[in-house]
Short mmCIF file of all heavy atoms in Angstrom, two decimals:
data_model
loop_
_atom_site.label_atom_id
_atom_site.label_comp_id
_atom_site.label_asym_id
_atom_site.label_seq_id
_atom_site.Cartn_x
_atom_site.Cartn_y
_atom_site.Cartn_z
N PHE A 623 -24.22 9.97 24.89
CA PHE A 623 -24.41 10.64 26.17
C PHE A 623 -23.18 10.42 27.05
O PHE A 623 -22.41 9.48 26.86
CB PHE A 623 -25.65 10.10 26.89
CG PHE A 623 -26.94 10.31 26.15
CD1 PHE A 623 -27.80 9.25 25.90
CD2 PHE A 623 -27.30 11.57 25.69
CE1 PHE A 623 -28.99 9.43 25.22
CE2 PHE A 623 -28.50 11.77 25.01
CZ PHE A 623 -29.34 10.70 24.77
N ASN A 624 -23.02 11.28 28.04
CA ASN A 624 -21.93 11.18 28.99
C ASN A 624 -22.30 10.20 30.11
O ASN A 624 -23.36 10.33 30.71
CB ASN A 624 -21.65 12.57 29.57
CG ASN A 624 -20.59 12.58 30.65
OD1 ASN A 624 -19.77 11.70 30.73
ND2 ASN A 624 -20.64 13.61 31.48
N PRO A 625 -21.48 9.17 30.38
CA PRO A 625 -20.22 8.79 29.74
C PRO A 625 -20.48 7.86 28.55
O PRO A 625 -21.28 6.92 28.64
CB PRO A 625 -19.48 8.04 30.86
CG PRO A 625 -20.58 7.40 31.66
CD PRO A 625 -21.76 8.34 31.58
N ILE A 626 -19.79 8.11 27.46
CA ILE A 626 -20.09 7.39 26.23
C ILE A 626 -19.76 5.90 26.32
O ILE A 626 -20.38 5.08 25.63
CB ILE A 626 -19.38 8.02 25.00
CG1 ILE A 626 -17.85 8.06 25.21
CG2 ILE A 626 -19.91 9.41 24.73
CD1 ILE A 626 -17.10 8.59 24.00
N ALA A 627 -18.81 5.52 27.17
CA ALA A 627 -18.38 4.12 27.23
C ALA A 627 -19.51 3.18 27.61
O ALA A 627 -19.51 2.01 27.21
CB ALA A 627 -17.22 3.97 28.21
N VAL A 628 -20.50 3.67 28.37
CA VAL A 628 -21.57 2.77 28.83
C VAL A 628 -22.65 2.58 27.77
O VAL A 628 -23.55 1.75 27.95
CB VAL A 628 -22.20 3.30 30.14
CG1 VAL A 628 -21.14 3.49 31.20
CG2 VAL A 628 -22.99 4.58 29.91
N TYR A 629 -22.56 3.30 26.68
CA TYR A 629 -23.56 3.17 25.61
C TYR A 629 -22.99 2.44 24.39
O TYR A 629 -23.43 2.64 23.26
CB TYR A 629 -24.09 4.55 25.21
CG TYR A 629 -24.78 5.26 26.34
CD1 TYR A 629 -24.15 6.27 27.06
CD2 TYR A 629 -26.07 4.87 26.73
CE1 TYR A 629 -24.79 6.89 28.12
CE2 TYR A 629 -26.72 5.50 27.80
CZ TYR A 629 -26.06 6.50 28.49
OH TYR A 629 -26.70 7.10 29.55
N THR A 630 -22.00 1.59 24.63
CA THR A 630 -21.35 0.86 23.55
C THR A 630 -22.16 -0.35 23.13
O THR A 630 -22.66 -1.11 23.97
CB THR A 630 -19.94 0.39 24.00
OG1 THR A 630 -19.19 1.52 24.42
CG2 THR A 630 -19.22 -0.32 22.88
N ASP A 631 -22.29 -0.54 21.83
CA ASP A 631 -22.88 -1.76 21.27
C ASP A 631 -21.73 -2.73 21.02
O ASP A 631 -20.98 -2.57 20.05
CB ASP A 631 -23.60 -1.42 19.96
CG ASP A 631 -24.17 -2.66 19.27
OD1 ASP A 631 -23.98 -3.78 19.79
OD2 ASP A 631 -24.77 -2.51 18.19
N LEU A 632 -21.55 -3.70 21.88
CA LEU A 632 -20.39 -4.58 21.82
C LEU A 632 -20.37 -5.47 20.59
O LEU A 632 -19.32 -6.02 20.23
CB LEU A 632 -20.33 -5.44 23.09
CG LEU A 632 -20.18 -4.67 24.41
CD1 LEU A 632 -20.17 -5.64 25.58
CD2 LEU A 632 -18.91 -3.83 24.40
N SER A 633 -21.49 -5.59 19.91
CA SER A 633 -21.56 -6.48 18.75
C SER A 633 -21.16 -5.78 17.45
O SER A 633 -20.98 -6.44 16.42
CB SER A 633 -22.96 -7.06 18.60
OG SER A 633 -23.89 -6.03 18.31
N SER A 634 -21.03 -4.46 17.48
CA SER A 634 -20.73 -3.71 16.27
C SER A 634 -19.44 -2.91 16.46
O SER A 634 -19.26 -2.25 17.48
CB SER A 634 -21.87 -2.76 15.92
OG SER A 634 -23.07 -3.48 15.68
N PHE A 635 -18.57 -2.96 15.48
CA PHE A 635 -17.29 -2.26 15.57
C PHE A 635 -16.68 -2.12 14.19
O PHE A 635 -17.09 -2.79 13.23
CB PHE A 635 -16.31 -3.03 16.49
CG PHE A 635 -16.08 -4.46 16.08
CD1 PHE A 635 -15.07 -4.80 15.19
CD2 PHE A 635 -16.89 -5.47 16.58
CE1 PHE A 635 -14.88 -6.11 14.80
CE2 PHE A 635 -16.71 -6.80 16.18
CZ PHE A 635 -15.69 -7.11 15.30
N LYS A 636 -15.68 -1.23 14.10
CA LYS A 636 -14.86 -1.10 12.90
C LYS A 636 -13.43 -1.46 13.27
O LYS A 636 -13.01 -1.29 14.41
CB LYS A 636 -14.92 0.33 12.36
CG LYS A 636 -16.29 0.78 11.93
CD LYS A 636 -16.27 2.17 11.27
CE LYS A 636 -16.01 3.27 12.26
NZ LYS A 636 -16.14 4.63 11.66
N LEU A 637 -12.68 -1.97 12.30
CA LEU A 637 -11.28 -2.27 12.51
C LEU A 637 -10.43 -1.43 11.55
O LEU A 637 -10.76 -1.31 10.37
CB LEU A 637 -10.97 -3.75 12.28
CG LEU A 637 -11.49 -4.76 13.30
CD1 LEU A 637 -10.99 -6.16 12.94
CD2 LEU A 637 -11.09 -4.41 14.72
N TYR A 638 -9.35 -0.86 12.09
CA TYR A 638 -8.37 -0.14 11.28
C TYR A 638 -7.01 -0.80 11.49
O TYR A 638 -6.75 -1.40 12.53
CB TYR A 638 -8.28 1.33 11.72
CG TYR A 638 -9.58 2.09 11.61
CD1 TYR A 638 -10.40 2.28 12.72
CD2 TYR A 638 -9.99 2.62 10.39
CE1 TYR A 638 -11.58 2.98 12.62
CE2 TYR A 638 -11.18 3.32 10.28
CZ TYR A 638 -11.97 3.50 11.40
OH TYR A 638 -13.15 4.20 11.28
N LEU A 639 -6.15 -0.66 10.50
CA LEU A 639 -4.78 -1.09 10.70
C LEU A 639 -4.08 -0.11 11.63
O LEU A 639 -4.37 1.10 11.59
CB LEU A 639 -4.03 -1.20 9.37
CG LEU A 639 -4.50 -2.30 8.40
CD1 LEU A 639 -3.51 -2.45 7.25
CD2 LEU A 639 -4.70 -3.63 9.09
N SER A 640 -3.16 -0.60 12.44
CA SER A 640 -2.49 0.28 13.42
C SER A 640 -1.55 1.26 12.75
O SER A 640 -1.12 2.23 13.37
CB SER A 640 -1.72 -0.56 14.43
OG SER A 640 -0.73 -1.35 13.78
N ASP A 641 -1.23 1.04 11.46
CA ASP A 641 -0.35 1.95 10.73
C ASP A 641 -0.95 2.23 9.36
O ASP A 641 -1.22 1.30 8.58
CB ASP A 641 1.04 1.36 10.57
CG ASP A 641 1.97 2.28 9.79
OD1 ASP A 641 2.30 3.35 10.33
OD2 ASP A 641 2.33 1.94 8.66
N VAL A 642 -1.18 3.50 9.04
CA VAL A 642 -1.84 3.86 7.79
C VAL A 642 -0.97 3.53 6.58
O VAL A 642 -1.49 3.22 5.50
CB VAL A 642 -2.24 5.36 7.80
CG1 VAL A 642 -1.00 6.26 7.73
CG2 VAL A 642 -3.20 5.68 6.67
N GLY A 643 0.36 3.57 6.74
CA GLY A 643 1.22 3.22 5.62
C GLY A 643 1.03 1.77 5.19
O GLY A 643 1.05 1.46 3.99
N LEU A 644 0.83 0.89 6.17
CA LEU A 644 0.58 -0.52 5.84
C LEU A 644 -0.75 -0.68 5.11
O LEU A 644 -0.88 -1.51 4.21
CB LEU A 644 0.60 -1.37 7.12
CG LEU A 644 1.92 -1.42 7.89
CD1 LEU A 644 1.79 -2.34 9.10
CD2 LEU A 644 3.07 -1.88 7.00
N LEU A 645 -1.75 0.13 5.50
CA LEU A 645 -3.04 0.06 4.80
C LEU A 645 -2.88 0.52 3.35
O LEU A 645 -3.39 -0.13 2.43
CB LEU A 645 -4.07 0.94 5.51
CG LEU A 645 -5.42 1.06 4.78
CD1 LEU A 645 -6.14 -0.28 4.74
CD2 LEU A 645 -6.31 2.13 5.43
N THR A 646 -2.19 1.63 3.15
CA THR A 646 -2.01 2.15 1.78
C THR A 646 -1.30 1.12 0.91
O THR A 646 -1.68 0.90 -0.25
CB THR A 646 -1.19 3.46 1.82
OG1 THR A 646 -1.88 4.41 2.65
CG2 THR A 646 -1.02 4.05 0.44
N MET A 647 -0.28 0.48 1.46
CA MET A 647 0.45 -0.53 0.70
C MET A 647 -0.42 -1.76 0.44
O MET A 647 -0.48 -2.26 -0.68
CB MET A 647 1.73 -0.93 1.46
CG MET A 647 2.69 -1.80 0.66
SD MET A 647 2.29 -3.57 0.75
CE MET A 647 2.65 -3.89 2.47
N ARG A 648 -1.12 -2.24 1.48
CA ARG A 648 -1.95 -3.44 1.33
C ARG A 648 -3.09 -3.21 0.33
O ARG A 648 -3.48 -4.12 -0.40
CB ARG A 648 -2.54 -3.84 2.68
CG ARG A 648 -1.54 -4.41 3.67
CD ARG A 648 -1.08 -5.81 3.28
NE ARG A 648 -2.19 -6.74 3.25
CZ ARG A 648 -2.14 -7.93 2.70
NH1 ARG A 648 -1.04 -8.33 2.10
NH2 ARG A 648 -3.17 -8.74 2.70
N ALA A 649 -3.62 -1.99 0.30
CA ALA A 649 -4.73 -1.70 -0.61
C ALA A 649 -4.26 -1.55 -2.05
O ALA A 649 -5.07 -1.61 -2.98
CB ALA A 649 -5.44 -0.42 -0.16
N GLY A 650 -2.96 -1.36 -2.26
CA GLY A 650 -2.43 -1.24 -3.61
C GLY A 650 -2.73 0.08 -4.28
O GLY A 650 -2.78 0.16 -5.52
N ILE A 651 -2.91 1.14 -3.50
CA ILE A 651 -3.16 2.45 -4.10
C ILE A 651 -1.87 2.97 -4.73
O ILE A 651 -0.83 3.00 -4.07
CB ILE A 651 -3.64 3.45 -3.04
CG1 ILE A 651 -4.84 2.91 -2.28
CG2 ILE A 651 -3.99 4.79 -3.68
CD1 ILE A 651 -5.25 3.77 -1.11
N PRO A 652 -1.88 3.37 -5.98
CA PRO A 652 -0.66 3.92 -6.59
C PRO A 652 -0.16 5.13 -5.80
O PRO A 652 -0.95 5.98 -5.38
CB PRO A 652 -1.12 4.32 -8.00
CG PRO A 652 -2.32 3.47 -8.27
CD PRO A 652 -3.00 3.32 -6.94
N GLN A 653 1.14 5.18 -5.61
CA GLN A 653 1.70 6.29 -4.83
C GLN A 653 1.40 7.64 -5.47
O GLN A 653 1.18 8.63 -4.75
CB GLN A 653 3.21 6.10 -4.67
CG GLN A 653 3.59 4.95 -3.74
CD GLN A 653 5.07 4.93 -3.41
OE1 GLN A 653 5.83 5.80 -3.84
NE2 GLN A 653 5.50 3.93 -2.65
N GLN A 654 1.37 7.69 -6.78
CA GLN A 654 1.09 8.98 -7.43
C GLN A 654 -0.32 9.46 -7.13
O GLN A 654 -0.58 10.67 -7.09
CB GLN A 654 1.33 8.89 -8.95
CG GLN A 654 0.46 7.89 -9.69
CD GLN A 654 1.14 6.54 -9.83
OE1 GLN A 654 1.91 6.13 -8.97
NE2 GLN A 654 0.88 5.86 -10.95
N THR A 655 -1.25 8.53 -6.92
CA THR A 655 -2.61 8.91 -6.56
C THR A 655 -2.63 9.59 -5.20
O THR A 655 -3.31 10.60 -4.99
CB THR A 655 -3.53 7.67 -6.54
OG1 THR A 655 -3.58 7.11 -7.85
CG2 THR A 655 -4.93 8.02 -6.10
N VAL A 656 -1.89 9.02 -4.26
CA VAL A 656 -1.84 9.58 -2.91
C VAL A 656 -1.15 10.94 -2.92
O VAL A 656 -1.64 11.92 -2.34
CB VAL A 656 -1.11 8.62 -1.95
CG1 VAL A 656 -1.06 9.21 -0.54
CG2 VAL A 656 -1.78 7.24 -1.94
N LEU A 657 -0.01 11.03 -3.58
CA LEU A 657 0.80 12.25 -3.56
C LEU A 657 0.13 13.41 -4.29
O LEU A 657 0.28 14.57 -3.90
CB LEU A 657 2.18 11.98 -4.16
CG LEU A 657 3.07 11.00 -3.38
CD1 LEU A 657 4.34 10.69 -4.16
CD2 LEU A 657 3.41 11.56 -2.01
N SER A 658 -0.61 13.11 -5.34
CA SER A 658 -1.23 14.18 -6.13
C SER A 658 -2.55 14.64 -5.54
O SER A 658 -3.04 15.73 -5.87
CB SER A 658 -1.46 13.69 -7.57
OG SER A 658 -2.43 12.65 -7.59
N GLY A 659 -3.16 13.81 -4.68
CA GLY A 659 -4.45 14.18 -4.12
C GLY A 659 -5.60 14.00 -5.11
O GLY A 659 -6.70 14.52 -4.88
N GLU A 660 -5.35 13.25 -6.17
CA GLU A 660 -6.40 13.06 -7.18
C GLU A 660 -7.55 12.27 -6.59
O GLU A 660 -7.41 11.54 -5.61
CB GLU A 660 -5.84 12.35 -8.42
CG GLU A 660 -5.39 10.93 -8.18
CD GLU A 660 -4.76 10.30 -9.41
OE1 GLU A 660 -3.67 10.73 -9.82
OE2 GLU A 660 -5.38 9.37 -9.95
N SER A 661 -8.71 12.41 -7.19
CA SER A 661 -9.93 11.78 -6.68
C SER A 661 -9.80 10.26 -6.68
O SER A 661 -9.44 9.65 -7.69
CB SER A 661 -11.13 12.20 -7.52
OG SER A 661 -12.30 11.59 -7.06
N ASN A 662 -10.07 9.67 -5.53
CA ASN A 662 -10.06 8.21 -5.40
C ASN A 662 -10.95 7.87 -4.22
O ASN A 662 -10.74 8.37 -3.11
CB ASN A 662 -8.64 7.69 -5.18
CG ASN A 662 -8.58 6.17 -5.05
OD1 ASN A 662 -8.95 5.62 -4.02
ND2 ASN A 662 -8.13 5.51 -6.10
N LEU A 663 -11.94 7.02 -4.44
CA LEU A 663 -12.94 6.74 -3.42
C LEU A 663 -12.34 6.16 -2.15
O LEU A 663 -12.73 6.52 -1.03
CB LEU A 663 -13.99 5.78 -3.99
CG LEU A 663 -15.25 5.57 -3.14
CD1 LEU A 663 -15.98 6.89 -2.94
CD2 LEU A 663 -16.17 4.55 -3.81
N PHE A 664 -11.34 5.28 -2.29
CA PHE A 664 -10.78 4.61 -1.11
C PHE A 664 -9.95 5.55 -0.25
O PHE A 664 -9.69 5.26 0.93
CB PHE A 664 -9.93 3.41 -1.53
CG PHE A 664 -9.52 2.53 -0.38
CD1 PHE A 664 -10.45 1.74 0.29
CD2 PHE A 664 -8.20 2.50 0.06
CE1 PHE A 664 -10.08 0.94 1.36
CE2 PHE A 664 -7.81 1.70 1.13
CZ PHE A 664 -8.76 0.92 1.78
N MET A 665 -9.53 6.70 -0.80
CA MET A 665 -8.72 7.62 -0.01
C MET A 665 -9.50 8.16 1.20
O MET A 665 -8.91 8.58 2.19
CB MET A 665 -8.24 8.78 -0.87
CG MET A 665 -7.10 8.40 -1.82
SD MET A 665 -5.67 7.66 -0.99
CE MET A 665 -5.17 8.99 0.10
N GLY A 666 -10.83 8.12 1.13
CA GLY A 666 -11.62 8.49 2.30
C GLY A 666 -11.37 7.53 3.46
O GLY A 666 -11.25 7.94 4.62
N SER A 667 -11.25 6.24 3.15
CA SER A 667 -10.96 5.23 4.17
C SER A 667 -9.55 5.38 4.70
O SER A 667 -9.29 5.17 5.89
CB SER A 667 -11.17 3.82 3.60
OG SER A 667 -12.50 3.64 3.18
N VAL A 668 -8.61 5.74 3.80
CA VAL A 668 -7.23 5.96 4.23
C VAL A 668 -7.16 7.12 5.22
O VAL A 668 -6.50 7.03 6.27
CB VAL A 668 -6.32 6.22 3.02
CG1 VAL A 668 -4.92 6.63 3.46
CG2 VAL A 668 -6.25 4.98 2.13
N ALA A 669 -7.84 8.22 4.91
CA ALA A 669 -7.86 9.37 5.81
C ALA A 669 -8.49 9.01 7.15
O ALA A 669 -8.00 9.43 8.21
CB ALA A 669 -8.62 10.53 5.16
N GLU A 670 -9.53 8.22 7.12
CA GLU A 670 -10.20 7.79 8.35
C GLU A 670 -9.27 6.92 9.19
O GLU A 670 -9.21 7.06 10.42
CB GLU A 670 -11.48 7.02 8.00
CG GLU A 670 -12.42 6.81 9.17
CD GLU A 670 -13.72 6.16 8.73
OE1 GLU A 670 -14.25 6.52 7.66
OE2 GLU A 670 -14.20 5.28 9.48
#
């Protein structure tokens, strides 16, 4: 609802790395997997 900030559950959150390239490297995804767009479950998290 408007304003959304007042409906925050402070105990629940997600964390992302500030740079997606660092996430891709840390996760160890082969570069060819990323470049080819082949099916990989973790690529959903990378896109997010």
Side-chain angles (χ1 to χ4, degrees):
F623 298 127
N624 176 22
I626 58 177
V628 304
Y629 298 102
T630 303
D631 176 359
L632 298 178
S633 65
S634 299
F635 56 89
K636 298 185 288 187
L637 289 184
Y638 300 98
L639 293 190
S640 60
D641 179 68
V642 70
L644 297 182
L645 174 66
T646 302
M647 190 275 292
R648 289 288 299 166
I651 306 173
Q653 290 190 2
Q654 61 267 32
T655 298
V656 180
L657 295 173
S658 67
E660 66 184 68
S661 179
N662 180 285
L663 190 60
F664 190 71
M665 285 305 299
S667 299
V668 172
E670 194 175 320

